[in-house]
Amino acid sequence: MPLLDTPVRLGVQLEPQHAPYSAFRDAVLRLEEMGVDILFNWDHFFPLSGDPEGMHFESWTMLAAWAEQTERVEFGALVNCNSYRNPDLQADMARTIDHISAKDGTGRFIFATGSGWFERDYEEYGYEFGTVGSRLDDLADGLARIEARWQKLNPAPTRRIPVMIGGKGEQKTLRLVARHADIWHSFVRPGELAHKLGVIERWADREERDTSGLIVSNELKRRGEDDADDLYDAGVRLFTLGFGGPDWDFDLVKSWLRWRDAKNGA
């Protein structure tokens, strides 16, 4: 079962497209000051909406800048694409960003990852696209290597870096959630969550891993408070909000922060 006694948190995903980097720098500062819990970007090389040739920035270099710029907020990609970088390199990059962000001695980086899907990225950057199954197999291999590399790095990460896995496939993705994840992210509707969590529990029994501390994450974009209430009742405790610029609607974030605080009894 998911961890239900943890506070509700709000993560805002700044879509890294269609704006100059100075706008992202300003937005990150404003969102941290507003009290957002987690900041995300995404790991692609081209816009996912709007002008396909529009401005776009790379994920990990942006995250390293956020690590230095911010003081309190956690952050990561929603989600990293396992295909684009050697797994041991990913582990080293994550450890380094973890240290950059450790203003009080403890890092704030969340390693959120998935198997990849945006074929244009693969074609234009020279990665083998493969199949859904082959990419998931690569993710399974990559996660094992990443966790092993974290045990070898000097210096070690400042904390056990939380692993967040996105997706809902029952045969491979949810088994990886059961094996590795601290946070499971999906777009699953409230009525589906109990079934999917049951699948994760069954895989956890097979993997001999305790998932009682698993945090369930879901998306708020194009959803209202009634949907969010239903997701909360189904066990979601991390809510993410896709946030497109450059004309960001900060009032929308304020409204979700009020909803979060009401759920937390603040």
Side-chain angles (χ1 to χ4, degrees), residues 37-259:
D37 298 293
I38 305 173
L39 292 174
F40 294 107
N41 61 15
W42 66 40
D43 188 18
H44 295 287
F45 305 128
F46 302 96
L48 298 186
S49 61
D51 179 2
E53 305 303 327
M55 288 186 287
H56 195 279
F57 290 99
E58 192 276 329
S59 172
W60 281 81
T61 42
M62 179 181 277
L63 293 173
W66 293 3
E68 188 61 53
Q69 177 186 355
T70 58
E71 298 289 336
R72 173 196 57 79
V73 71
E74 290 189 288
F75 61 95
L78 190 63
V79 292
N80 167 69
C81 178
N82 178 70
S83 305
Y84 300 160
R85 301 161 194 88
N86 171 283
D88 292 87
L89 174 62
Q90 293 177 55
D92 206 339
M93 293 165 70
R95 180 279 311 258
T96 300
I97 291 176
D98 167 72
H99 276 263
I100 294 170
S101 69
K103 304 299 175 64
D104 64 356
T106 302
R108 294 172 285 118
F109 181 69
I110 295 172
F111 184 72
T113 193
S115 59
W117 62 271
F118 191 36
E119 191 168 2
R120 184 185 179 189
D121 285 347
Y122 288 80
E123 290 180 348
E124 295 214 27
Y125 277 60
Y127 299 111
E128 181 181 350
F129 189 56
T131 66
V132 172
S134 69
R135 293 194 300 277
L136 282 166
D137 290 342
D138 289 344
L139 177 61
D141 176 70
L143 283 164
R145 288 174 57 183
I146 287 162
E147 292 181 348
R149 180 59 56 186
W150 280 337
Q151 300 298 315
K152 300 175 184 177
L153 290 170
N154 183 16
T158 67
R159 64 172 180 169
R160 184 184 179 279
I161 296 175
V163 173
M164 180 178 186
I165 296 176
K168 64 176 185 177
E170 296 183 8
Q171 295 305 308
K172 291 189 175 183
T173 301
L174 295 187
R175 184 168 193 173
L176 292 177
V177 170
R179 186 183 299 163
H180 297 283
D182 303 289
I183 308 168
W184 168 50
H185 180 76
S186 77
F187 296 83
V188 169
R189 300 294 302 177
E192 298 178 80
L193 276 169
H195 169 71
K196 296 294 185 181
L197 289 167
V199 173
I200 292 171
E201 281 194 72
R202 290 193 291 274
W203 279 127
D205 289 341
R206 291 274 298 275
E207 296 289 333
E208 298 182 340
R209 181 170 181 256
D210 179 9
T211 56
S212 61
L214 183 71
I215 293 172
V216 180
S217 171
N218 209 300
E219 172 63 31
L220 291 172
K221 191 174 185 179
R222 292 185 290 274
R223 287 173 166 169
E225 288 192 8
D226 288 345
D227 282 331
D229 288 340
D230 289 343
L231 288 167
Y232 176 87
D233 291 341
V236 176
R237 290 298 180 269
L238 172 56
F239 292 83
T240 66
L241 178 65
F243 202 44
D247 299 319
W248 288 291
D249 182 2
F250 290 99
D251 286 339
L252 177 63
V253 176
K254 288 179 183 177
S255 70
W256 283 117
L257 287 169
R258 287 193 294 270
W259 179 87

